[in-house]
Amino acid sequence: HYSISHTIDGSWSHPVKWVIEGSNTDADDDWKILDSRNNIKNLKGTKTFEIQNQSEFFQYIRFRQTGLSSLHSNNLNISALEYFGRITNF
């Protein structure tokens, strides 16, 4: 799971479309999509999402905005991003 927190800062802008990706090398071409969200209408407060593809462990995890924000800009406006899961030794 992962949680995204968004506090109202006057802009009301929040991510609408994104992916969570995992990699074990951090190379540009070695990222696997673990979760994908589209058309998220309301991200006020804290929302928790379940990872859709949980089949393996990754050394690196990233959040990548894949579309415009709710105010149609490229700005990424969140207060916190928290990942939940298990840790393993590689």
Side-chain angles (χ1 to χ4, degrees), residues 29-87:
D29 62 348
D30 190 38
W31 290 92
K32 180 178 180 181
I33 294 177
L34 308 176
D35 190 64
S36 177
R37 301 292 165 158
N38 294 299
N39 204 26
I40 302 299
K41 299 285 188 194
N42 183 0
L43 200 58
K44 189 187 323 182
T46 300
K47 305 284 186 199
T48 300
F49 301 89
E50 185 175 349
I51 296 284
Q52 297 165 342
N53 182 4
Q54 305 178 50
S55 61
E56 55 190 293
F57 288 95
F58 292 97
Q59 188 172 3
Y60 304 97
I61 304 281
R62 74 179 179 188
F63 176 98
R64 186 168 53 89
Q65 184 170 273
T66 58
L68 298 177
S69 73
S70 60
L71 289 181
H72 308 289
S73 75
N74 288 314
N75 296 338
L76 175 60
N77 187 6
I78 59 176
S79 301
L81 175 62
E82 186 174 7
Y83 296 105
F84 305 93
R86 296 176 298 179
I87 296 176

